[in-house]
Amino acid sequence: MGRYQITWLSLSLMVSPSPDFLSRLLPAVPDYSDIMPPGHKSKKHHRAKIDPQSCGNSQATAAAAKEFPPSSSTQCEAISCPGSDKASSSQEEDEAVSSATTLFTGVSVVDDFKKRTEALELFLLSKYKLKQPIMKKDLLRIVGEEYQDRFCEMLKKASDEMETFFALHINEVNSSNHSYALVSKLKLPNNGRVRPGRGFPKTGFLMHILGLIFMNGNCVSEEVIWRDLRLKQVYPGRKHFVFGEPRKLIGDFVRLKYLECHQVPDSDPPRSEFLWGPKAHLETSKMEVLVIIAKVNGTHPSAYPLCYEEALRDKEERAQARDAARAATTAQVRASFRAMAGTTLPPMEKSKAFLPSHQNI
């Protein structure tokens, strides 16, 4: 079994859980170097083929060591939403727990720990899909008595996977009854589902498209997007178990201003290209997207030196913009206080009433 437990292809296995479904999870590690068009070095549409092994830039490598220390159709229209999922929450919840807790017989300690961690991941996703709180007592049932002392370690690993592949992070909802919830890292509607109702998160799909755009010079053609998605068995016009119809989903991202879609001038037949939208620039960063890409590929952000240097510049520019905005706000507040003091407080006049008592004779 590969390093990556949860993938787009493997989520369909949750429809009918079986004792061996974890052994059939398929790794889906995107290789961006295979889909980047060569050439085109314009400043705005620079499309460089980036070799993950090309780490010869010493400055980028040194900066990376400091930044990330080592650790263990095409028109993009919004289309009406189909009906929401209809399922029995309690029955699915019980099936998810019971399926996860009956998978572990005749395996080594290492495999047992790994399988229980993977079961936690699938259980977290099932609770997200059902829009239900995640109870610690249920998580402990999956972990088992023999791993109670390693519960935090397992939950941390499962949470890392949720963040890497689905851009979700786990929050404690209620400390009194120890309940948690998975929360979208981007402010997409319906906590990352985009459309009302139950369903799986779409945030990871969006982050994947943003990464594809970034690694293709900040502008990518629709052909490159569909070529990449077909490698993961996601096809335009075909409903996907996790993401629905992907063309509609991309249209939603354009409508929500996370993506921009433009027709290529003088293209015949007409073709579209995609860029980051203003919401994406506001809610995430090139460095954050690059870190996710690197984690999915089992490498380090500095393995993509050109993108890494650009992400560092973007991070520095964002920091400078925040400092400038903070300074401007502080100056404005001070100016407002000075104006208020000048208009509402009368000038102080010396009089007997304000003289010291020994002078007031």
Side-chain angles (χ1 to χ4, degrees):
M1 184 170 177
R3 173 185 181 274
Y4 305 102
Q5 294 92 337
I6 300 295
T7 67
W8 295 355
L9 302 180
S10 68
L11 282 171
S12 59
L13 299 173
M14 297 176 61
V15 178
S16 301
S18 61
D20 64 338
F21 76 96
L22 286 173
S23 65
R24 296 186 282 116
L25 295 180
L26 302 177
V29 182
D31 182 1
Y32 294 94
S33 62
D34 291 341
I35 60 176
M36 293 182 196
H40 302 298
K41 297 187 177 181
S42 66
K43 184 174 182 181
K44 181 177 181 180
H45 302 293
H46 172 62
R47 294 176 171 83
K49 183 176 180 179
I50 301 174
D51 183 3
Q53 305 300 325
S54 59
C55 303
N57 189 311
S58 59
Q59 292 181 350
T61 304
K66 182 178 180 181
E67 183 76 19
F68 300 97
S71 60
S72 39
S73 196
T74 65
Q75 298 305 314
C76 310
E77 68 276 7
I79 303 178
S80 61
C81 174
S84 60
D85 296 338
K86 297 180 181 179
S88 171
S89 300
S90 59
Q91 183 179 356
E92 292 188 24
E93 176 184 354
D94 292 340
E95 288 178 355
V97 177
S98 60
S99 298
T101 54
T102 58
L103 300 175
F104 316 109
T105 58
V107 294
S108 67
V109 173
V110 175
D111 289 340
D112 191 19
F113 179 87
K114 183 178 180 181
K115 285 181 180 294
R116 290 180 187 272
T117 304
E118 292 167 352
L120 279 181
E121 296 167 11
L122 292 180
F123 181 70
L124 289 171
L125 278 178
S126 69
K127 298 296 283 184
Y128 175 96
K129 179 177 183 291
L130 295 172
K131 303 180 74 171
Q132 294 177 344
I134 302 163
M135 307 304 296
K136 185 177 181 179
K137 62 181 181 180
D138 292 331
L139 300 178
L140 291 174
R141 287 171 59 191
I142 298 173
V143 168
E145 293 183 2
E146 61 271 37
Y147 290 106
Q148 297 287 312
D149 58 337
R150 303 183 69 180
F151 169 73
C152 292
E153 180 184 355
M154 284 185 175
L155 185 60
K156 174 66 165 59
K157 288 180 179 294
S159 300
D160 288 344
E161 294 296 311
M162 294 297 102
E163 184 173 3
T164 298
F165 289 99
F166 298 103
L168 300 172
H169 63 271
I170 190 165
N171 278 355
E172 186 175 32
V173 177
N174 192 324
S175 58
S176 61
N177 64 357
H178 301 289
S179 61
Y180 306 88
L182 289 170
V183 181
S184 171
K185 295 187 69 174
L186 299 179
K187 297 178 182 178
L188 289 168
N190 202 25
N191 192 25
R193 297 175 185 84
V194 177
R195 292 180 178 273
R198 296 174 181 171
F200 289 109
K202 309 302 188 291
T203 318
F205 185 94
L206 174 57
M207 295 293 275
H208 181 83
I209 299 297
L210 294 176
L212 200 60
I213 294 172
F214 175 40
M215 298 196 75
N216 281 270
N218 300 308
C219 180
V220 68
S221 67
E222 57 180 331
E223 293 88 353
V224 172
I225 290 179
W226 293 122
R227 191 189 314 161
D228 173 80
L229 292 178
R230 286 189 184 98
L231 297 176
K232 298 160 184 61
Q233 299 184 11
V234 179
Y235 305 96
R238 182 185 301 180
K239 187 175 181 179
H240 188 271
F241 172 71
V242 179
F243 307 117
E245 206 288 289
R247 182 175 288 141
K248 291 182 181 179
L249 182 56
I250 292 177
D252 286 332
F253 294 148
V254 173
R255 174 177 56 84
L256 295 170
K257 300 187 183 304
Y258 286 94
L259 295 176
E260 288 185 1
C261 181
H262 302 292
Q263 185 171 326
V264 178
D266 304 322
S267 59
D268 188 19
R271 295 186 301 108
S272 297
E273 59 185 8
F274 293 85
L275 299 86
W276 283 31
K279 281 283 194 69
H281 285 288
L282 182 65
E283 297 178 18
T284 188
S285 66
K286 293 179 179 179
M287 183 60 76
E288 187 173 13
V289 170
L290 186 60
V291 167
I292 290 178
I293 293 171
K295 285 183 178 179
V296 170
N297 285 283
T299 185
H300 190 279
S302 63
Y304 312 93
L306 296 180
C307 291
Y308 183 68
E309 290 179 0
E310 182 177 348
L312 285 176
R313 290 194 300 270
D314 177 72
K315 184 177 181 180
E316 180 63 26
E317 290 171 0
R318 286 169 176 267
Q320 293 176 357
R322 285 194 299 268
D323 292 342
R326 192 178 298 113
T329 301
T330 302
Q332 185 177 6
V333 169
R334 289 177 176 174
S336 298
F337 275 117
R338 285 196 297 267
M340 290 173 58
T343 56
T344 61
L345 297 179
M348 298 292 292
E349 295 182 0
K350 291 184 179 181
S351 65
K352 291 183 178 181
F354 292 95
L355 290 176
S357 59
H358 68 276
Q359 298 182 16
N360 192 6
I361 302 175

